[in-house]
Amino acid sequence: MKYNIALIPGDGIGPEVIKETVKVLETIGQLYNHEFRFQEVLVGGCAIDATGEPLPQASLDICKNSDAVLLGAVGGEKWDTLPGHLRPERALLGLREGLGLYANLRPAVLHGALKEACPLKPEIVGDGLDVCVVRELIGGIYFGERGRRANGKMGEEAYDTEAYSVGEVERIGSLAFELALKRNKKVTSVDKANVLESSRLWRSVMVELSKNYPEVTLEHMYVDNAAMQLVRNPRQFDVIVTTNMFGDILSDEASMITGSIGMLPSASLGTSGLGLYEPIHGSAPDIAGQNKANPIATILSAAMMLRITFGLDAEAEAVEGAVTRVLEAGYRTGDIYSEGCKLVGTTEMGNLIIEAIKR
Ligand code: IPM
Ligand code: MG
């Protein structure tokens, strides 16, 4: 089979982690007889430098016409002072919106070998963690009405608006319930219904939806409590479904529980079969170009792509199994290093994973 993948190396450590991931996919292609065709596209700071825009139309079009998009990271200090609509981050939002990717899946799994890197006490972590944050991705305050006005309560005022419609909650909610069916059959819907009207609508839609999923337990939790429960007793969670902004915050928190943000993949899915896969970490300009970045989050994102968009379960498992074995053998990049382990760079980590796939 042939698969067309739009590649967005982006900025900072993006190109380095994408390079290792392409090597991994090429290995999988050889072993399982698939042809992965990569087309590189300019998005983010590098696109601003080359074209003046963070997301050139041509780049968006190539992504739209591909089977899947694999993204490294975008952004960096160099572009931080540009106005909002020209910042590299704007490209991410434009991609999500332009590709209709309303659901962001962020699984937080603590690898047995990485227990040392988890900042929580062993008795809290028990024998592991496996939570999946399902974040709404193209609605809410990220995309609501915003602006500035002269006469606020105390001078000039700026505002952003949180709004959710029934249909938007239904589609993300259904996806969360379907996912829970394949996991531990529990959905925790996170909102702020004690204060926000949009959360009250969100909650009532989730209650209605749950009637179609009698096998799944639905629980509601206020976002402040959820932030606390994630560190107090993270094992109570299976699927967490929430809004764009709450999901942004809680998924970073969940990632830290698993030891390092350098480990976690994500998938953004929408109405078409097309998916965008990316590590949840950013461009880490401080370590860019130094062969220090952890490529595992991007490699695991590619595994999610193999499974979800291409339906290649065995191939996805081959990649994930290889990552686990390399970690079990004691190899670590700096972000997950602990005493007694073997410190390796980005390229070495990629090569080790490839060797493990071949074995
Ligand atoms: C993320 C990031 C982005 C977001 C930023 C870079 C726009 O934090 O993917 O979590 O807030 O969605
Ligand atoms: Mg974020």
Side-chain angles (χ1 to χ4, degrees), residues 262-342:
M263 291 293 301
L264 292 199
S266 81
S268 301
L269 309 172
T271 34
S272 71
L274 185 106
L276 181 145
Y277 298 84
E278 60 175 317
I280 84 158
H281 61 69
S283 58
D286 53 322
I287 57 164
Q290 298 170 37
N291 194 34
K292 280 185 182 164
N294 184 351
I296 293 180
T298 314
I299 291 171
L300 291 175
S301 299
M304 288 186 90
M305 173 181 81
L306 292 171
R307 178 178 290 116
I308 299 174
T309 296
F310 301 159
L312 302 174
D313 286 0
E315 289 82 342
E317 272 159 37
V319 175
E320 289 161 351
V323 168
T324 303
R325 291 198 300 281
V326 168
L327 292 174
E328 277 166 358
Y331 295 102
R332 303 281 189 274
T333 42
D335 58 313
I336 49 175
Y337 179 79
S338 59
E339 226 176 87
C341 293
K342 294 165 243 182

Side-chain angles (χ1 to χ4, degrees), residues 6-10 39-43 46 58-60 62-63 69:
L7 266 191
I8 304 178
Q39 189 165 9
E40 264 196 38
V41 286
L42 275 181
V43 174
C46 55
S59 297
L60 181 59
I62 292 172
C63 293
V69 182

Side-chain angles (χ1 to χ4, degrees), residues 89 92 96 106 135 142 248:
E89 289 82 357
L92 273 184
R96 292 168 182 171
R106 298 188 161 183
R135 168 189 179 193
Y142 272 59
D248 178 44

Side-chain angles (χ1 to χ4, degrees), residues 165-235:
S165 61
V166 172
E168 286 177 286
V169 184
E170 277 172 351
R171 66 181 180 183
I172 190 77
S174 310
L175 192 140
F177 278 111
E178 294 290 339
L179 183 66
L181 279 178
K182 295 184 218 148
R183 297 172 44 105
N184 288 323
K185 302 192 172 53
K186 182 174 175 191
V187 170
T188 305
S189 171
V190 173
D191 62 34
K192 188 73 186 172
N194 48 347
V195 179
L196 303 178
E197 194 57 29
S198 55
S199 280
R200 288 191 272 272
L201 179 120
W202 178 284
R203 196 176 270 222
S204 66
V205 173
M206 288 301 299
V207 169
E208 275 308 303
L209 272 180
S210 71
K211 294 176 185 161
N212 306 329
Y213 298 92
E215 313 90 316
V216 179
T217 307
L218 171 67
E219 179 185 83
H220 306 279
M221 199 178 275
Y222 297 139
V223 63
D224 48 351
N225 187 25
M228 177 178 79
Q229 296 297 336
L230 264 173
V231 288
R232 201 187 75 97
N233 176 19
R235 277 182 298 163

Side-chain angles (χ1 to χ4, degrees), residues 102-125:
Y102 65 84
N104 185 209
L105 271 54
R106 298 188 161 183
V109 179
L110 177 61
H111 285 256
L114 288 187
K115 275 188 186 158
E116 299 287 292
C118 172
L120 300 181
K121 288 187 185 141
E123 60 265 36
I124 293 178
V125 179

Side-chain angles (χ1 to χ4, degrees), residues 5-61:
I5 301 169
L7 266 191
I8 304 178
D11 311 311
I13 60 171
E16 296 165 69
V17 294
I18 283 287
K19 187 172 166 216
E20 297 315 308
T21 306
V22 167
K23 278 161 52 182
V24 167
L25 284 169
E26 277 168 348
T27 305
I28 290 289
Q30 283 155 14
L31 288 175
Y32 292 84
N33 261 314
H34 304 298
E35 193 186 328
F36 297 113
R37 291 186 185 161
F38 301 101
Q39 189 165 9
E40 264 196 38
V41 286
L42 275 181
V43 174
C46 55
I48 297 176
D49 289 348
T51 72
E53 286 177 81
L55 179 61
Q57 185 62 41
S59 297
L60 181 59
D61 289 342

